[in-house]
Amino acid sequence: MSSTHRRMRRGCVAVAAASLILTPAVAGSAYGAPSTQGQTVSAAPVPPPSPDGTAQFPQLTPAVAAQLDAAIRKVMRETQVPGVVAGLWAPGKGSYVKAFGVADKATGAPMRTDVYTRIGSETKTFTVTALLRLVDQGKIGLDDPIGTYITGVPNGDRITLRELAGMRSGLFNYSEDDDFDQALESGPNRIYTPQQLLDYSFKHPVQFAPDEKFEYSNTNLVLLGLVVEKVTGRPLHDVIRQEVWEPAGLRHTLFPTDASFPEPHAQGYTDQSSSGKIVDSTDWNPSWAWAAGAMISDLQDLRSWARTLATGTLLTPKTQAERLKTVTIGIPGDGYGLGIFNVQGWLGHNGSLPGYEVLAVYLPQAQATMVLLLNTDVLHNGQEPSTLFGEAVTRIVTPDHVYPGHKQSPPKAG
């Protein structure tokens, strides 16, 4: 399998828990996403914070900061990631915000903490939140069949909106399709419509019956984006702006409708199979990811969003509780809900798009937030670099909640 095809299978996937979803491309059965058939779907309520809100989280002293510096630099050397921005915040314990490496390998310009970045599958959290806001408004129901809103979907009379948001639809992931892979690599600036993306998926048979098991699929989010548009009568990017990031108080988040990228931003680097080289993918058009991965944000907005997402401040308590019902995947302590994962207690999502990776997660027990931004998505020994950084940081600050806390499986050919 080509490196580009592997990455496109990941696509905007991004649930970085090793055996949870991404190993290494977590978006398809070829990588053996564990079946959840026979497992129960259990509620995963947010644990209450400790009385002082800082359980098992160290004071971010200069000594701890030095440990974090050393750990991040070690992972950078091993993975050859050009640039990283790391942020940690916990009440009463201080903060740690630092940029490492370079934003541009050609000029040597240093990485900055105020860069905009492409957030890949973190976009899914915004799309699903927009959908859940419609649930709270009584305009849709989570157990409505997708066929009620969108025609031509295989099993559309059986697959529910809940199953789409929870990655249990059985629909083929369009970013695993060989023709899609070839088209994207040969024309990374091509503009795709949502229907074109669905066409790549729907030419394949369904992978399993609805709700039979978990399998990550970007197709699910394209369909949910179309539902949001149909019910509201507005473009998805407008709905997410008006119903999600503006109410959340985000000021540096956007949903581009072209390849535009506000300054300042780092150059993004990815591996391309046709040349066998690392290439600059900064200005590749993200339309192919749309509702599953096209958005842009920055460190401080992602810090705020991680807490908003995990605590459900934009949703009713009932709907947030539905969101946090997870299917256990991999090892105990890892699960996926409705556009959100729970990895060893850290709630949130990650994102991977050619040239960029992000991780934005919140640990309720300590009211702690961790955000990582990278300007590459090149795998290291089959592992997402953002996962490796997340593991290195959490081993220092939350040893009882290490992200992801276990080794990833080696990639499989095919």
Side-chain angles (χ1 to χ4, degrees), residues 85 87 89 95-97 113-115 249-253 297-306 369 371 373:
V85 178
W89 303 266
S95 62
Y96 173 90
V97 177
T113 60
D114 62 346
V115 291
L250 307 184
R251 299 180 178 180
H252 298 98
T253 298
S297 192
D298 73 353
L299 181 75
Q300 292 297 334
D301 268 13
L302 290 175
R303 171 196 177 185
S304 178
W305 177 243
T369 306
V371 177
L373 315 179

Side-chain angles (χ1 to χ4, degrees), residues 18 23 100 102 119 132 146 164 177 183 188 196 234-235 246 254 293 303 313 323 331 353 363 368 387 400:
T23 17
F100 299 82
V102 298
I119 65 172
L132 295 178
I146 182 62
L164 291 166
D177 179 79
Q196 287 173 324
R234 292 178 283 156
E246 285 184 351
L254 61 151
R303 171 196 177 185
T313 57
R323 171 169 232 166
I331 67 171
L353 206 68
L363 183 65
T387 299
D400 292 332

Side-chain angles (χ1 to χ4, degrees), residues 155-209:
N155 277 349
D157 60 335
R158 300 173 58 199
I159 298 170
T160 66
L161 305 185
R162 184 192 302 273
E163 289 158 353
L164 291 166
M167 302 296 178
R168 302 191 305 276
S169 72
L171 295 174
F172 185 86
N173 186 356
Y174 69 84
S175 58
E176 294 184 43
D177 179 79
D178 288 337
D179 292 336
F180 170 81
D181 175 42
Q182 294 169 11
L184 185 60
E185 182 165 338
S186 64
N189 294 316
R190 185 173 306 176
I191 298 173
Y192 292 85
T193 66
Q195 186 58 54
Q196 287 173 324
L197 301 176
L198 294 179
D199 288 344
Y200 284 113
S201 171
F202 294 169
K203 68 181 183 180
H204 296 269
V206 295
Q207 306 299 289
F208 51 85

Side-chain angles (χ1 to χ4, degrees), residues 21-66:
I21 307 180
L22 291 181
T23 17
V26 178
S29 57
Y31 288 99
S35 171
T36 58
Q37 187 172 8
Q39 297 184 20
T40 59
V41 178
S42 58
V46 176
S50 63
D52 65 357
T54 55
Q56 299 176 327
F57 198 95
Q59 196 78 31
L60 291 172
T61 62
V64 172

Side-chain angles (χ1 to χ4, degrees), residues 2-19:
S2 74
S3 61
T4 300
H5 191 189
R6 185 180 62 237
R7 179 172 55 257
M8 293 310 126
R9 298 171 73 90
R10 229 167 51 226
C12 21
V13 175
V15 197
S19 62

